[in-house]
Amino acid sequence: LLTARVDMLAEGERAVIERASVVGRVFWWGAVAELSPEEHRAQVGGWLQSLVRKELIRPEPSDPMEEDAYRFTHILVRDAAYGGVPKARRAELHERFARWLEDKSRGRTGEVEEVVGYHLEQAYRTLHELGAVDAGTRAMGLRAATPLTSAGRRALARGDMPAAVNLLSRADALTPTDAPGRTELLPDLAFALLQTGDFGRMREVLTELEEAASDSGDPILRAHAALLDLWMRLFTDPEGWAGEASREATRAIVTFEEHGDDRGVAQGWAMLGLFHMIKGDFGMAVDAWEAAAGHASTAGAEREALEHLAWVPVGVWSGPMPVDEAILRCGQILERAQGDRKAMAVALAVSGNLEAMRGQFDRARELGARARSVLQEIALPGWEGALTQMSGWAEILADDPGAAERDLRWGVETLRGIGELSWLSTTAAFLAEALYSQGRLDEADEYVGVSQETAGSEDIFSQVLLRTVRAKIEAHRGRPEDAESSAREAVSIAGASDSLLLQGEALTSLAYVLGFAGRLEEGEAALTDAVRVCEHKGNTAGAARARSLWEASLERAAGA
């Protein structure tokens, strides 16, 4: 019906509404006039007013282009008009409108790059559909890729990873493999895909980047490819990762320094931070991430500086920094990160867990809720799943394992859904603890198994946590030797790290299984060490939990 109605318009009205439909749901008088033959431009205003009276379009009151603007009364009206424009004509009009928009917005091109790119992209795709695959069409594709790449990098800079993936992927599809500058686009696209958890697509982009680096012999490109490959392998294939990460990150830093590339140096230091985190050296990890942020700032890449700083709260939470100082450090990052939703969410979530450590459980839940609210504004499933560790552990400290289970189970399923393993192994271990605390031993054992299957052997955090839960399960199943073996392994692994959080949890587990076995003197010694470590961290809730589990072990031992 709408198509018939458009067809019945007078010739001038129909020509105007078809040209307007190429612009979009909202369009400008000046744009329609520009797209019209010169001899008809004086009549465009009258035809637009006629279309208003026929209720096909209406004036649009607010317009940043400072042009008289109109809006189609319904998107289907626009679609009906657009369907009447022959494809060859569409391509011409899309290109002409893109040129008009560039001229109109000269001096503030960044504001309209995405729109310009879209219209050039539509011109290219329409010509492609018509079979016009020639040098002119390929040039059109490259013209479209330029503003889309720029808009994608601006999305990356503001932390909008879904938009960055969309825009950079479209630019990638429009750029021939042998085009100059294509390889500069690929690292940004790969990083955006990493952040959104699209590891399959990231692998494809990385393969192309690695081939380009090999063909060109470019050391900078090779270093970028190596670091991005390590990022992906950390989350999808962590076994044996750490040794190679240390070597490649150090090599990359040297390469970037030789070429005066501070942004690259920052990425190398960030990788070293991850290496130290996996190995359990959280103080060194924090130093590396702060060094990375400093180099990124020197390069003028403030968004990347915040990306590196977003990891710092994880380090101060688990490492040797006392809780009160760690809360202040998270507050500093939160203040600096205003507007960067990922860094804000991490700082808020970790602050919440730190508040739980000092017994401020209502405050912890408030901060956790704020973190979830901030993170829900962006689609970063890896971080959404990972940060359930913070809220889940806070609920365990608050003695509400049911609430902990709800958060952690959602986190496990989210991480499973994207094929992520590194965060998954730790989240599964936390979930096992929540299930064990509810007396559901078989389910807890199942998630200990998930943690063990997915954790790399070098992943200190997961390896300690899964053993602490397994030790308690074995004690309940009447296997005191297996229970003690697991607990002592956890103590040994945690002792090789600087993580007061892990050391306290491992010693708490050891005290529990010794108490359960009736070995009170040894158990009390382990309990004393656990409380001392927790109090040194400022983890008063952890110390209280250690005492509570000790009392529970004695009661169960007496009952047995």
Side-chain angles (χ1 to χ4, degrees):
L1 289 173
L2 288 170
T3 301
R5 190 176 174 193
V6 169
D7 286 342
M8 288 189 294
L9 293 172
E11 183 179 349
E13 294 171 341
R14 188 172 68 252
V16 163
I17 201 171
E18 288 178 349
R19 293 185 182 103
S21 73
V22 171
V23 177
R25 177 81 186 270
V26 175
F27 59 92
W28 300 274
W29 182 341
V32 175
E34 178 67 24
L35 299 181
S36 301
E38 189 171 349
E39 62 270 21
H40 293 163
R41 290 176 184 174
Q43 299 169 273
V44 165
W47 288 327
L48 288 172
Q49 291 305 311
S50 177
L51 292 170
V52 169
R53 290 191 295 272
K54 293 178 179 179
E55 298 184 347
L56 294 172
I57 64 173
R58 63 171 180 264
E60 179 74 2
S62 176
D63 176 54
M65 294 291 292
E66 299 178 358
E67 284 265 346
D68 289 338
Y70 296 85
R71 174 185 290 271
F72 283 93
T73 54
H74 197 285
I75 189 63
L76 293 179
V77 176
R78 183 264 174 188
D79 292 346
Y82 189 75
V85 184
K87 285 189 175 182
R89 184 71 172 144
R90 282 184 203 172
E92 177 195 347
L93 292 172
H94 277 297
E95 182 184 10
R96 288 175 58 188
F97 173 68
R99 192 182 309 122
W100 177 86
L101 191 58
E102 285 178 314
D103 291 341
K104 188 69 180 176
S105 60
R106 199 169 299 282
R108 50 190 180 94
T109 309
E111 299 176 19
V112 297
E113 281 178 327
E114 185 174 344
V115 182
V116 170
Y118 166 80
H119 283 278
L120 291 173
E121 178 186 30
Q122 291 303 112
Y124 167 83
R125 295 200 179 284
T126 302
L127 290 172
H128 207 275
E129 289 172 10
L130 291 170
V133 184
D134 54 22
T137 304
R138 287 190 288 272
M140 181 76 71
L142 281 173
R143 282 180 59 199
T146 299
L148 289 174
T149 299
S150 181
R153 285 178 172 147
R154 286 191 297 109
L156 200 65
R158 65 176 181 268
D160 189 347
M161 296 303 168
V165 167
N166 175 280
L167 292 162
L168 293 173
S169 294
R170 287 159 58 196
D172 178 47
L174 292 165
T175 308
T177 55
D178 58 349
R182 177 180 173 76
T183 52
E184 297 174 8
L185 161 67
L186 296 176
D188 289 332
L189 175 55
F191 184 76
L193 290 164
L194 170 75
Q195 294 295 298
T196 56
D198 191 346
F199 298 117
R201 174 80 175 108
M202 183 186 178
R203 177 70 269 171
E204 294 174 7
V205 174
L206 268 181
T207 298
E208 184 178 350
L209 182 61
E210 288 163 352
E211 290 173 353
S214 177
D215 292 343
S216 67
D218 184 344
I220 292 291
L221 201 59
R222 188 181 301 116
H224 279 301
L227 291 179
L228 284 165
D229 181 66
L230 286 167
W231 272 103
M232 191 184 74
R233 286 173 49 202
L234 171 63
F235 295 122
T236 61
D237 185 19
E239 183 56 42
W241 176 89
E244 187 173 352
S246 177
R247 291 191 300 273
E248 288 294 339
T250 302
R251 184 180 298 130
I253 288 171
V254 171
T255 298
F256 290 130
E257 285 179 339
E258 288 174 349
H259 290 80
D261 186 344
D262 270 309
R263 185 184 174 200
V265 172
Q267 292 166 0
W269 275 106
M271 183 57 62
L272 281 181
L274 292 174
F275 161 75
H276 291 307
M277 179 186 73
I278 291 296
K279 299 294 286 184
D281 297 323
F282 290 93
M284 294 180 69
V286 168
D287 291 343
W289 289 322
E290 290 182 337
H295 282 285
S297 293
T298 299
E302 183 60 20
R303 167 66 187 79
E304 292 186 25
L306 292 174
E307 175 70 32
H308 305 318
L309 285 177
W311 289 90
V312 169
V314 178
V316 301
W317 166 65
S318 181
M321 186 178 290
V323 166
D324 290 348
E325 185 180 344
I327 288 174
L328 290 175
R329 186 72 184 98
C330 288
Q332 292 167 354
I333 292 172
L334 181 62
E335 183 177 354
R336 179 173 173 180
Q338 291 301 313
D340 186 287
R341 288 165 290 184
K342 174 185 167 183
M344 290 172 61
V346 177
L348 286 166
V350 174
S351 294
N353 194 283
L354 291 166
E355 290 289 359
M357 284 186 181
R358 59 183 187 181
Q360 302 298 314
F361 301 120
D362 289 341
R363 176 64 173 158
R365 291 176 180 121
E366 175 193 339
L367 291 169
R370 285 178 59 193
R372 284 191 295 273
S373 176
V374 170
L375 205 55
Q376 283 169 359
E377 298 174 13
I378 50 179
L380 299 179
W383 280 98
E384 288 182 78
L387 290 183
T388 60
Q389 295 176 20
M390 298 299 153
S391 56
W393 190 245
E395 294 295 357
I396 289 172
L397 291 175
D399 198 24
D400 190 346
E405 179 192 352
R406 287 191 294 274
D407 280 0
L408 292 163
R409 191 177 291 279
W410 185 90
V412 165
E413 294 308 315
T414 298
L415 294 167
R416 271 179 168 168
I418 62 172
E420 196 282 340
L421 299 182
S422 188
W423 289 120
L424 172 61
S425 62
T426 308
T427 310
F430 278 125
L431 176 56
E433 180 65 39
L435 292 165
Y436 167 80
S437 298
Q438 297 174 72
R440 292 151 62 186
L441 301 188
D442 290 343
E443 289 180 79
D445 199 21
E446 175 189 345
Y447 281 96
V448 168
V450 171
S451 181
Q452 185 171 17
E453 289 169 7
T454 54
S457 59
E458 303 158 311
D459 181 352
I460 298 295
F461 216 102
S462 296
Q463 295 296 342
V464 170
L465 288 181
L466 70 88
R467 284 169 171 78
T468 64
V469 186
R470 175 180 289 151
K472 295 192 283 283
I473 293 172
E474 296 291 0
H476 270 268
R477 288 177 170 170
R479 302 168 185 162
E481 292 181 359
D482 291 340
E484 183 180 354
S485 176
S486 288
R488 289 198 182 278
E489 284 179 7
V491 170
S492 176
I493 297 169
S497 79
D498 66 359
S499 173
L500 298 181
L501 179 69
L502 290 178
Q503 291 172 20
E505 187 59 20
L507 287 164
T508 296
S509 177
L510 177 60
Y512 180 86
V513 299
L514 291 172
F516 202 101
R519 295 162 60 182
L520 302 188
E521 185 175 347
E522 294 173 87
E524 286 177 349
L527 173 65
T528 298
D529 288 342
V531 170
R532 174 182 52 79
V533 169
C534 288
E535 290 180 343
H536 184 62
K537 176 71 175 176
N539 184 6
T540 56
R545 179 171 178 270
R547 295 188 185 98
S548 176
L549 284 171
W550 169 252
E551 293 297 330
S553 75
L554 298 184
E555 291 174 8
R556 286 167 177 160

